[in-house]
Structures are given as structure tokens and as C-alpha cells.
């Protein structure tokens, strides 16, 4: 019996269900009790209102007449009669002269007061003779409501707990004890022990527990079959593991042989790579010498004209000096003749100065391109002026080609970076355009060959865009043009290191270089991007 009650009380499902029923039933009880108490309270208030209404209709005129004649015996008799009405605990009359009569005990709390005027109706007029105060004791009403609430809650509570206890018993008897047996059965399942089917201690019924028992028995049979197959698989796996060990030993021997061969091939590749790097260095030096040769040729062509003019002017000056000397020693010399010779001499001097200045400027631009300053420190310079100098210096290498430049840069934009690397990068891009984009357009009008250079600052980076209106780069060439030694003009002496060197130079500036096929001018466009360092004063090293 004790075990029965212990299992009965400890059933979690039963306790949970019982608690839910008790809570829900308590909630319903509270709601219905509150509703009933409110109705009772409203009924009591309405009953009190009816008492006041009856008192006002039946007694006020009589009381007013008694007060008018000041019949104290009649007044006290009427007050003693009114105090006997239900729930009235105090009643008093005050006339207009200040005299008062009362009956009962007046309360200051838990009461309902009502004041009625006493009007004596004479044949001529209505005269106000005083007032009647009636007080109703609400404690009696509240006490009745409280007692009724206790009775309702107690009766409903006993009923709820009895119903909940009966439901708890039903749950345990019909569900919980079978679930407990199912739980203990599952804990005792041992696939190595003898098979024992699950059976519940009850009459055979075709319900959910019958379905659960059949499903568990079927599952146990399947598990036992699978367990037997698993034992067989374990034996086969042991055999497979032994075979795997043999294969692993064979694989290790293969790996050792492969590692030896890879090591030998790696040594051969390293040797080939070293030879390739040496060849690359030789080709780079050759390209530098070829570029320098073209630059020197262009510079020589450009400098030859001002130097020739200077030589011609100097020779003319010598002849003018001889004429002047001869004229000075002559007795027929006139001032006009001397001034004419001096004017010619002055013109020759001005011509010499202009051409010497032009030659000096060309030499300075040549030095800007030719000198290797890749290891120099970053310098401050004006970007607009530097891009103009790079274009003019690059144009010297192609004296037979006429190209117009449009350089759109803020005139006062000063930046700080490696000026030599910037020169090399922009010069290589311009040289590539002169060599390939305009290769079939030499001798064209100036406005036909156009280079446009745009530069500005965006999000802390310098952005330089170089585009032309020449021949477009084919897609199959654009795919490989930044690769070292890739060129479409190897038969003409090209090495394929120009754009590759420009790409690497952009990397050395901690920036990037990219190609854009669809430019506004119709030809190729290269975009350069490197960090912006602002400076106010220009400090370019002089050579």
C-alpha cells in the first residue's frame, strides 16, 4: 500500500496535470466568485437606495410637519421607528434654529450618508424647516460579502482538490505506471542477454500502449539482428585494418621515393630559375640600354637644331666683328653703319641665348629620365609640372611622332613620393602608347594623336589615369600584357618588360596599376593608384 501511494505521488505527469487542473479551476473559481460578489454588492446598494427612496416618499413630509410644530415626542418616535430599518445605524434631524434630534450611533468610516431637506408644505408656501441625515453602516454588507466569499472559495477548493486527486489517480493508473514499466524495461535491455518481450500489466487492449509495446519489441528484434551483423562487420573490419597497415607501409615507401624525385626536380628547377633570373636581368639591362639609346638619339636630334643655330649665329658674329673692326679703322665710317652692325650682332647674341636656353632645358629633361634614382628618399614636387616633364621627355624618344597631350591636374597639387619610380612608371606607359597605339599613325596631324592624363586625390590616394585615342589592345594581348617577357613586337627588338616593370613599380609605391579597355578616347587606359602624402613646399633634388 505504501509503495502504491509513493508511486502515485511521485508521478511527474500526474503532478503536472493535477497542478494544471488546480490552477485552472482556481482561476475559474476566483472569476465566478468575484462576479457573484459584485452582483451581491450591487444588489445591496440598490436595496439601500430603495430604502432611501421609500423614506423620502413616506416620511419626509411627516417629519417636516413635526419639526414645524416642534413636537419632540413625535419626532423621537419617528426617529426610533426609522432607526429600525435594515442597515440604518444613525439618523438625525436639525431644524433651522440649530436644535437637533438623533437616534443610533454615528460612524466616521465604512458608512454611506444621505441628507434630505425637510420642507413644510403650508397652504400658502413651502417652508424649509431643517434637514434629515441618514447614515447606513456598510460593515454589515462587507461582512456578509466576506463570509459568502469564504464559503464559496472553501467549497470550490475542496471540490477542486477532490477532482484533481481523482484525475491524478486515473493518470497514474492508466498512464504513469505503464510509462514507468516502459522506462525500466528500456533500461534493462541488453542485446547480449536472452530476448524478453515487453508486456504491460493490464488487460489486452488495442490502444496506444499496445502499439508502443509492439514497436519496441519490433525495434529490439531489428537491433539484435543489426548487432549480429555488426559483430560480423567488426571481424571483417579487423581484417581490413591489417590490409590497411600493409598498404600504408607500401604508401610510405612510395612517398619516400616520390620525395626523393621531387627533391631532385626541385634542385633542377632552382637551377633553371636562377638561369632565368640571370637572363631576365640581362634582358632588362638590354631594354634599358635600348631605351637609353632611343632617348639619346631623340635628345641628339632635338639638341642638334639649337646647337646648329648657335654655331651659325656665332660664325655670323665673327664676320660682323671683322666688319666692325674694319669699319672703325676706316676714315669713311659712319654712325649708321656701326649701329647697323651692332644691331645684327645683338640679334645674333639673342638667338644664341634662346637656343642655348632651349638646349639646356632639353638636357635637364633628359637627366630627369636618364638618372637612376630608384633608391632615393621621397621628395615633394608639383604633380602637374612633373607629368608635363615626363611627357615631353618621353616624346624626345619618338622625334618622328607628333602627339598632343591633355594633362588635367590641379596646378597647385603638391605630393610627396618617390619621383624616380613615378617617372619610370608613367614613362613606360607613355612609351608603350607611342610604340603600339600610334604605330600606324606616324606623321599624322597633331590633333589626331592624343594622350590624356588625369590626376586627383580620392580617399587618401593619388589616382592617375593615362588614356589615348590610338589602336585598342586586343583582349588576348590585354590578358597577358603585365606578364614579364610578353611582347607582340619581339621581332622588332621588344623584350616585353615595359608594362611589367610599370606594374612592379606601382607595387613598390605601395599602390596598384590596372588596365581599362573602354576609355573615353577610344584607346587603352591605364589607372595608377598610390598613397597620397601632402606637402606644401617643393624640394626636388637637383643634379
Amino acid at each position: 500500500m505504501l509503495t502504491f501511494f509513493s508511486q502515485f505521488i511521485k508521478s511527474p505527469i500526474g503532478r503536472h496535470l493535477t497542478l494544471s487542473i488546480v490552477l485552472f479551476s482556481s482561476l475559474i473559481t476566483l472569476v465566478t466568485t468575484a462576479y457573484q460578489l459584485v452582483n451581491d454588492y450591487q444588489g445591496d446598494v440598490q436595496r439601500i437606495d430603495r430604502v432611501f427612496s421609500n423614506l423620502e416618499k413616506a416620511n419626509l413630509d411627516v417629519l417636516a410637519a413635526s419639526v414645524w410644530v416642534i413636537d419632540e415626542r413625535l419626532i423621537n418616535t419617528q426617529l426610533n421607528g426609522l432607526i429600525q430599518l435594515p442597515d440604518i445605524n444613525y439618523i438625525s434631524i436639525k431644524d433651522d434654529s440649530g436644535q437637533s434630534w438623533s437616534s443610533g450611533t454615528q460612524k466616521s468610516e465604512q458608512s454611506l450618508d444621505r441628507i434630505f431637506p425637510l420642507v413644510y408644505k403650508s397652504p400658502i408656501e413651502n417652508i424649509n424647516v431643517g434637514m434629515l441625515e441618514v447614515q447606513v453602516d456598510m460593515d454589515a454588507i462587507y461582512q456578509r460579502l466576506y463570509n459568502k466569499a469564504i464559503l464559496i472559495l472553501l467549497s470550490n477548493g475542496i471540490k477542486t482538490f477532490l477532482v484533481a486527486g481523482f484525475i491524478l489517480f486515473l493518470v497514474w493508473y492508466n498512464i504513469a505506471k505503464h510509462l514507468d514499466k516502459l522506462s525500466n524495461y528500456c533500461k534493462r535491455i541488453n542485446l547480449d542477454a536472452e530476448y524478453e518481450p515487453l508486456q504491460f500489466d493490464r488487460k489486452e487492449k488495442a490502444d496506444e500502449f499496445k502499439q508502443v509495446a509492439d514497436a519496441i519489441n519490433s525495434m529490439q528484434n531489428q537491433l539484435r539482428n543489426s548487432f549480429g551483423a555488426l559483430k560480423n562487420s567488426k571481424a571483417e573490419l579487423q581484417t581490413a585494418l591489417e590490409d590497411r597497415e600493409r598498404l600504408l607501409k607500401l604508401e610510405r615507401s612510395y612517398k619516400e621515393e616520390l620525395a626523393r624525385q621531387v627533391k631532385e626536380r626541385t634542385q633542377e628547377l632552382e637551377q633553371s630559375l636562377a638561369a632565368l633570373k640571370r637572363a631576365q636581368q640581362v634582358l632588362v639591362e638590354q631594354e634599358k640600354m635600348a631605351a637609353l639609346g632611343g632617348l639619346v638619339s631623340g635628345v641628339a636630334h632635338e639638341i642638334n637644331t639649337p646647337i646648329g643655330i648657335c654655331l651659325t649665329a656665332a660664325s655670323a658674329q665673327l664676320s660682323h666683328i671683322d666688319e666692325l673692326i674694319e669699319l672703325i679703322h676706316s676714315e669713311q665710317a659712319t654712325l649708321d653703319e656701326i649701329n647697323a652692325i651692332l644691331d645684327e650682332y645683338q640679334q645674333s647674341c639673342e638667338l644664341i641665348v634662346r637656343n642655348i636656353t632651349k638646349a639646356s632645358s632639353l638636357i635637364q629633361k633628359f637627366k630627369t629620365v636618364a638618372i637612376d634614382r630608384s633608391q632615393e628618399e621621397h621628395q615633394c614636387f608639383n604633380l602637374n609640372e612633373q607629368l608635363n616633364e615626363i611627357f615631353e621627355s618621353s616624346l624626345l624618344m619618338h622625334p618622328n611622332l607628333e602627339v598632343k597631350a591633355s594633362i588635367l591636374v590641379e596646378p597647385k597639387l603638391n605630393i610627396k613620393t618617390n619621383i624616380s619610380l613615378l617617372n619610370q612608371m608613367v614613362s613606360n606607359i607613355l612609351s608603350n602608347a607611342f610604340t603600339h597605339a600610334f604605330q600606324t599613325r606616324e606623321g599624322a596631324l597633331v590633333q589626331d594623336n592624343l594622350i590624356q592624363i588625369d590626376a586627383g586625390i580620392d580617399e587618401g590616394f593619388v589616382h592617375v589615369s593615362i588614356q589615348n585615342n590610338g589602336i585598342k589592345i586586343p583582349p588576348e594581348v590585354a590578358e597577358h600584357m603585365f606578364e614579364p617577357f610578353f611582347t607582340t613586337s619581339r621581332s622588332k627588338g621588344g623584350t616585353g618588360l615595359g608594362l611589367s616593370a610599370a606594374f612592379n613599380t606601382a607595387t613598390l609605391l605601395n599602390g596598384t596599376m590596372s588596365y581599362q579597355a573602354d576609355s573615353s578616347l577610344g584607346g587603352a587606359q591605364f589607372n595608377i593608384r598610390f598613397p597620397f602624402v601632402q606637402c606644401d613646399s617643393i624640394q626636388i633634388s637637383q643634379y
Side-chain angles (χ1 to χ4, degrees):
M1 190 67 177
L2 184 61
T3 304
F4 166 76
F5 279 107
S6 175
Q7 294 177 352
F8 175 70
I9 297 299
K10 291 182 178 180
S11 172
I13 296 178
R15 290 202 308 272
H16 180 73
L17 183 60
T18 302
L19 180 61
S20 300
I21 293 173
V22 168
L23 292 177
F24 182 75
S25 179
S26 300
L27 178 63
I28 296 299
T29 300
L30 290 175
V31 171
T32 56
T33 301
Y35 178 75
Q36 187 171 357
L37 292 177
V38 169
N39 285 337
D40 291 347
Y41 176 78
Q42 292 177 348
D44 290 338
V45 171
Q46 291 175 359
R47 179 173 52 79
I48 293 173
D49 288 338
R50 287 194 300 271
V51 171
F52 286 152
S53 178
N54 295 332
L55 187 148
E56 183 178 7
K57 293 178 180 179
N59 301 95
L60 289 183
D61 293 340
V62 178
L63 288 174
S66 301
V67 173
W68 173 255
V69 298
I70 311 179
D71 187 350
E72 293 187 1
R73 185 180 62 79
L74 181 59
I75 292 174
N76 289 326
T77 302
Q78 291 176 338
L79 290 179
N80 291 331
L82 292 175
I83 198 68
Q84 302 301 320
L85 293 175
D87 300 320
I88 296 179
N89 66 300
Y90 176 75
I91 186 168
S92 68
I93 296 175
K94 291 182 181 180
D95 63 2
D96 51 358
S97 63
Q99 189 175 0
S100 63
W101 298 269
S102 64
S103 178
T105 304
Q106 187 177 13
K107 296 182 62 177
S108 59
E109 296 180 353
Q110 303 293 337
S111 62
L112 179 63
D113 296 333
R114 183 69 64 86
I115 297 177
F116 302 96
L118 298 176
V119 179
Y120 174 70
K121 298 179 180 179
S122 67
I124 302 173
E125 59 178 344
N126 294 332
I127 303 173
N128 189 1
V129 297
M131 63 179 180
L132 172 67
E133 180 181 0
V134 180
Q135 185 180 76
V136 176
D137 185 10
M138 299 299 290
D139 282 337
I141 296 175
Y142 294 153
Q143 186 64 37
R144 285 199 304 273
L145 294 176
Y146 177 76
N147 294 334
K148 189 172 185 178
I150 294 297
L151 179 62
I152 293 173
L153 291 176
L154 184 62
S155 60
N156 281 288
I158 294 173
K159 180 182 66 176
T160 299
F161 280 104
L162 290 176
V163 172
F166 180 69
I167 292 175
L168 178 61
F169 171 76
L170 291 179
V171 170
W172 175 84
Y173 185 79
N174 293 303
I175 299 176
K177 73 174 185 178
H178 301 309
L179 293 178
D180 184 66
K181 179 176 179 62
L182 175 61
S183 174
N184 294 330
Y185 176 81
C186 292
K187 292 179 181 178
R188 295 195 308 270
I189 290 179
N190 185 0
L191 298 179
D192 292 326
E194 185 178 355
Y195 171 66
E196 178 184 355
L198 173 62
Q199 292 180 347
F200 293 107
D201 299 332
R202 65 193 190 112
K203 294 181 180 180
E204 191 70 21
K205 297 179 181 179
D207 56 5
E208 286 80 359
F209 283 103
K210 177 68 168 58
Q211 296 175 6
V212 170
D214 293 341
I216 291 179
N217 292 332
S218 176
M219 180 187 67
Q220 189 175 180
N221 289 327
Q222 294 177 2
L223 286 175
R224 290 179 178 275
N225 295 333
S226 300
F227 187 68
L230 184 61
K231 287 183 177 179
N232 298 331
S233 299
K234 182 179 180 181
E236 295 175 357
L237 180 61
Q238 187 65 32
T239 304
L241 287 174
E242 295 175 355
D243 295 339
R244 179 176 176 275
E245 290 296 330
R246 291 195 302 270
L247 292 174
L248 287 176
K249 291 180 180 179
L250 184 61
E251 182 183 4
R252 282 194 292 269
S253 64
Y254 286 156
K255 285 184 177 179
E256 291 174 357
E257 177 63 22
L258 181 60
R260 185 186 62 78
Q261 294 180 4
V262 169
K263 185 177 181 180
E264 293 177 356
R265 298 294 185 274
T266 303
Q267 292 176 351
E268 294 176 0
L269 289 175
E270 289 177 350
Q271 295 173 359
S272 300
L273 181 60
L276 182 61
K277 287 183 178 179
R278 289 193 298 270
Q280 181 179 1
Q281 292 175 356
V282 171
L283 288 175
V284 170
E285 293 298 327
Q286 289 178 354
E287 184 182 16
K288 286 183 179 179
M289 294 304 296
L292 185 59
L295 180 62
V296 170
S297 175
V299 170
H301 174 77
E302 294 293 331
I303 294 180
N304 185 50
T305 300
I307 293 298
I309 295 173
C310 290
L311 180 60
T312 302
S315 301
Q317 282 185 351
L318 290 176
S319 64
H320 292 156
I321 290 174
D322 293 337
E323 292 177 3
L324 181 60
I325 293 174
E326 181 180 353
L327 185 61
I328 291 174
H329 290 86
S330 173
E331 295 180 358
Q332 291 84 15
T334 63
L335 184 58
D336 292 336
E337 292 176 344
I338 294 174
N339 288 335
I341 295 174
L342 289 176
D343 289 340
E344 293 178 357
Y345 186 81
Q346 183 180 6
Q347 293 176 2
S348 299
C349 288
E350 291 175 354
L351 186 62
I352 291 173
V353 170
R354 285 198 305 270
N355 285 277
I356 288 297
T357 302
K358 182 178 180 181
S360 175
S361 176
L362 291 172
I363 292 172
Q364 185 63 36
K365 293 175 181 177
F366 170 71
K367 287 170 62 179
T368 301
V369 177
I371 295 176
D372 182 12
R373 295 182 288 179
S374 60
Q375 303 300 324
E376 69 182 8
E377 296 182 356
H378 290 195
Q379 303 178 55
C380 290
F381 58 91
N382 183 274
L383 183 58
N384 183 35
E385 296 177 358
Q386 191 63 28
L387 291 176
N388 276 282
E389 289 186 5
I390 295 173
F391 174 77
E392 294 178 6
S393 301
S394 301
L395 194 58
L396 293 176
M397 301 175 60
H398 303 271
N400 298 326
L401 189 64
E402 295 186 11
V403 180
K404 181 180 179 182
S406 174
I407 300 179
L408 306 176
V409 187
E410 172 64 34
K412 296 182 180 180
L413 178 58
N414 298 330
I415 66 172
K416 183 177 182 180
T417 188
N418 190 317
I419 189 171
S420 179
L421 294 179
L422 179 64
N423 288 347
Q424 179 183 352
M425 179 169 48
V426 177
S427 297
N428 285 4
I429 296 175
L430 293 177
S431 178
N432 184 77
F434 294 154
T435 303
H436 298 283
F438 305 139
Q439 61 180 350
T440 61
R441 304 175 58 172
E442 294 188 2
L445 297 177
V446 174
Q447 60 267 25
D448 290 341
N449 296 330
L450 179 61
I451 293 284
Q452 180 175 316
I453 303 177
D454 301 272
I457 308 300
D458 185 22
E459 297 182 353
F461 285 87
V462 179
H463 293 262
V464 180
S465 171
I466 304 174
Q467 57 178 311
N468 60 73
N469 64 343
I471 301 174
K472 290 187 176 181
I473 300 177
E476 62 274 11
V477 175
E479 185 178 357
H480 303 283
M481 64 183 175
F482 291 128
E483 298 176 2
F485 306 109
F486 178 81
T487 179
T488 58
S489 58
R490 194 174 302 279
S491 59
K492 298 179 182 180
T495 59
L497 293 175
L499 290 180
S500 174
F503 186 86
N504 293 334
T505 302
T507 304
L508 292 176
L509 287 176
N510 297 323
T512 59
M513 173 179 170
S514 61
Y515 164 71
Q516 182 177 333
D518 52 342
S519 69
S520 59
L521 295 183
Q525 178 175 337
F526 293 91
N527 299 316
I528 302 169
R529 177 176 177 268
F530 57 90
F532 167 62
V533 179
Q534 186 176 8
C535 61
D536 297 328
S537 58
I538 301 176
Q539 302 174 351
I540 300 180
S541 301
Q542 300 296 327
Y543 292 87

